Amino acid sequence: MASSRVALLLLAAFVALVSGQVEEVLRWQKVEYDVAPEVLQRPNGYIPIGNIPMGAVHYKNRVFVAVARRRWGIPSTLNVVDLSPPFPNANVVLKPYPSFELNELRADLQPDANRIVTVYRPRVDRCDRLWFVDTGMMEIPGNFTVVQRPSVWSIDLKTNQPIHRFEIPKEAVETGYGLTSITLDVDPTDCEKVFVYISDLQTYRMVVYDYANRRAWRFLHNYFFLNPLEGDYNIQGINFAWDDGIFSIALGNPDPVTQFRTAYFHALSSNSEFTVSTQVLRNETASQRSWHGTDFQLLGYRGNKAQSSIHAYDPETGVIFFALIQQNAVTCWDSNKPFAPQNMAIVYKNDAQIVYPNDLSIDQDGYVWFMTNSIIKLLYTQLNLDEFNFYVWRANIKQLIKGTVCDPASPANVQSVQRFGDENNNDRVTFYEYKDKHGPGGGPYGGWGHGRPGRRP
């Protein structure tokens, strides 16, 4: 018993030590916008309680913040913040990006290729472009509205001008509901060769967009489904169940010979990680197969209560960072070591401020950025706008992992992969079979989960 207490104290001290490497950059009590006063005064023009940031990505002293239209009263879905030390910057007003006109909805909610409706998690590529998916949907509880087809966009960050829009065809996805994260696969030498991988958490599919050929297709695989044994959550004493499938895709470095990458992916409601080569994903013909053989692989088990929202791969160190929603933490794993909980390290944990870490990304300066948005409180208890609810942190990756098992200079703690959840590696994983159906669905309340309606982030 005494040894256990000592171990817990040492763990707490270690987490506190590495937490010192993490810097709080932004914090908000509520989200406000730099728009004309008459916009805010319109009916449902601005309702503070529903403005929940869903994504944040850094680029050259700017942070792009996405606020999905999941409630009425959201003036702009894609926004930007100019950073200004010292940090943290508090309650910084969001500027619609690249303009309010692009973000403004038509009064009649009719389709408009020159406007965006809902953005979740934008991403920046090495060619100075901001990419995102516009789901085309107003995801209002009890009043879902498909405004327009989902589309893939890119914006030139040097000119702040949109340069590309691709409407995803119905053959690839029925609606934009569930398209909440994207991953960019850019050729190391040619900016025109891009594949975009989009997770569809609602229908358990992965959508692939071939930018060079303007084609899109989708993959279906059992590994995209939730693990029904790992869909129950307890965050800050709040119990709930989510059925979200594939949620995040992270890409390793290109193979020096083939130039293909390993794609690491997982469902939100799962403690397991899986892999597939981008050679498979880039093959539209392969997406039409009813059986994929051994192309998709189980990588291993992250550990108990290690459900992860977003994860990202650092190309310089080979380390993957995971945002752990039940542990209020960020953890890491060196991809050159066996995939097992013993070879992972918590690099930041904050039970007071992290209430659902909803986004995580790695910038071009060697920093990992992550955000929390307290959406659990909005969905299941109460969000208090007099308190700070939304945070963005950053950390230098090499400093953050130094001396941990994630450090490439450190030896592995174990030399074998842990494939499943018990010590004997028995297969305890079962997957639901999903059938296509019209409209939002997938859960007992039409995809809104148990208790008070409110779709998962």
Side-chain angles (χ1 to χ4, degrees):
M1 181 68 70
S3 62
S4 297
R5 285 197 297 268
V6 170
L8 288 173
L9 288 172
L10 288 174
L11 175 61
F14 170 73
V15 171
L17 175 64
V18 297
S19 295
Q21 307 287 351
V22 175
E23 181 178 25
E24 183 184 320
V25 180
L26 292 162
R27 56 162 56 186
W28 292 270
Q29 293 165 289
K30 64 180 180 181
V31 171
E32 297 182 291
Y33 299 86
D34 181 10
V35 296
E38 55 267 25
V39 172
L40 306 178
Q41 295 165 6
R42 296 171 183 168
N44 291 324
Y46 173 59
I47 303 174
I49 194 67
N51 284 260
I52 307 295
M54 304 304 288
V57 63
H58 172 254
Y59 171 83
K60 294 184 178 180
N61 211 43
R62 291 189 288 176
V63 174
F64 298 93
V65 179
V67 183
R69 284 190 165 108
R70 297 171 50 156
R71 297 291 190 274
W72 296 113
I74 297 172
S76 175
T77 184
L78 182 62
N79 309 277
V80 67
V81 168
D82 294 313
L83 298 180
S84 178
F87 300 128
N89 294 173
N91 292 325
V92 182
V93 174
L94 302 187
K95 300 176 183 177
Y97 185 84
S99 67
F100 174 68
E101 289 72 24
L102 185 74
N103 284 272
E104 184 181 22
L105 292 175
R106 288 176 49 136
D108 57 6
L109 293 183
Q110 289 301 301
D112 190 330
N114 296 312
R115 303 176 192 235
I116 55 179
V117 181
T118 288
V119 176
Y120 274 88
R121 294 172 178 88
R123 289 296 180 260
V124 175
D125 71 8
R126 67 170 187 82
C127 305
D128 303 302
R129 296 173 296 197
L130 182 74
W131 295 78
F132 57 89
V133 170
D134 170 25
T135 71
M137 293 192 65
M138 297 281 291
E139 301 175 17
I140 313 299
N143 190 17
F144 273 57
T145 302
V146 178
V147 177
Q148 56 199 29
R149 293 291 308 159
S151 54
V152 178
W153 288 69
S154 64
I155 296 176
D156 186 331
L157 291 171
K158 293 181 178 178
T159 65
N160 300 316
Q161 294 297 317
I163 54 176
H164 179 68
R165 180 185 185 271
F166 173 79
E167 192 169 285
I168 304 175
K170 195 171 184 179
E171 293 75 24
V173 64
E174 182 73 22
T175 71
Y177 184 65
L179 306 182
T180 59
S181 71
I182 67 169
T183 303
L184 306 175
D185 183 3
V186 183
D187 187 272
T189 61
D190 188 346
C191 290
E192 293 304 303
K193 295 180 179 179
V194 184
F195 287 85
V196 180
Y197 308 116
I198 307 167
S199 60
D200 184 346
L201 64 87
Q202 186 65 27
T203 66
Y204 310 116
R205 285 162 169 78
M206 184 192 300
V207 178
V208 180
Y209 172 48
D210 178 354
Y211 170 70
N213 294 302
R214 307 302 198 261
R215 295 278 301 169
W217 53 89
R218 66 180 179 180
F219 279 86
L220 172 64
H221 196 278
N222 284 347
Y223 292 171
F224 299 163
F225 289 45
L226 79 153
N227 180 344
L229 300 178
E230 294 166 351
D232 293 334
Y233 297 83
N234 183 293
I235 298 176
Q236 290 203 342
I238 305 167
N239 292 295
F240 54 93
W242 283 351
D243 57 6
D244 293 24
I246 181 171
F247 204 90
S248 181
I249 305 160
L251 297 180
N253 285 324
D255 181 277
V257 176
T258 68
Q259 294 299 303
F260 294 116
R261 306 172 188 261
T262 296
Y264 303 85
F265 65 90
H266 59 251
L268 180 71
S269 292
S270 170
N271 291 323
S272 297
E273 194 74 18
F274 303 89
T275 63
V276 63
S277 171
T278 58
Q279 182 176 12
V280 176
L281 300 181
R282 294 180 188 180
N283 186 342
E284 183 177 1
T285 302
S287 72
Q288 300 166 5
R289 300 180 301 190
S290 60
W291 184 66
H292 294 287
T294 59
D295 284 341
F296 292 78
Q297 294 283 325
L298 171 65
L299 179 61
Y301 179 73
R302 285 189 301 275
N304 186 40
K305 297 186 183 300
Q307 293 96 335
S308 169
S309 56
I310 300 298
H311 65 336
Y313 178 97
D314 175 36
E316 187 168 354
T317 63
V319 171
I320 296 180
F321 293 89
F322 299 85
L324 302 185
I325 62 177
Q326 285 217 85
Q327 297 186 37
N328 308 323
V330 173
T331 192
C332 62
W333 168 66
D334 178 1
S335 61
N336 292 308
K337 297 183 175 77
F339 193 89
Q342 299 90 330
N343 287 336
M344 301 175 190
I346 292 177
V347 291
Y348 188 67
K349 182 175 175 64
N350 188 329
D351 291 331
Q353 295 177 337
I354 294 182
V355 184
Y356 188 77
N358 60 292
D359 200 9
L360 182 150
S361 60
I362 292 171
D363 69 11
Q364 299 173 18
D365 303 321
Y367 282 76
V368 57
W369 293 71
F370 51 97
M371 165 184 266
T372 183
N373 70 1
S374 299
I375 196 168
I376 304 302
K377 294 181 180 179
L378 176 70
L379 297 181
Y380 301 114
T381 57
Q382 184 176 4
L383 189 67
N384 185 351
L385 299 184
D386 293 326
E387 302 173 349
F388 281 98
N389 296 294
F390 320 124
Y391 297 84
V392 175
W393 294 272
R394 71 175 181 182
N396 179 279
I397 291 173
K398 290 184 178 179
Q399 294 178 6
L400 189 63
I401 65 174
K402 186 176 182 180
T404 73
V405 69
C406 302
D407 189 335
S410 299
N413 288 327
V414 296
Q415 295 300 328
S416 58
V417 169
Q418 184 168 337
R419 288 175 55 81
F420 300 105
D422 68 350
E423 61 184 7
N424 297 315
N425 275 343
N426 293 318
D427 185 350
R428 63 183 188 85
V429 178
T430 306
F431 292 104
Y432 286 149
E433 176 65 19
Y434 181 87
K435 300 298 183 182
D436 280 333
K437 55 186 177 181
H438 296 292
Y445 296 94
W448 283 90
H450 298 281
R452 183 183 300 176
R455 187 170 67 76
R456 281 80 60 203

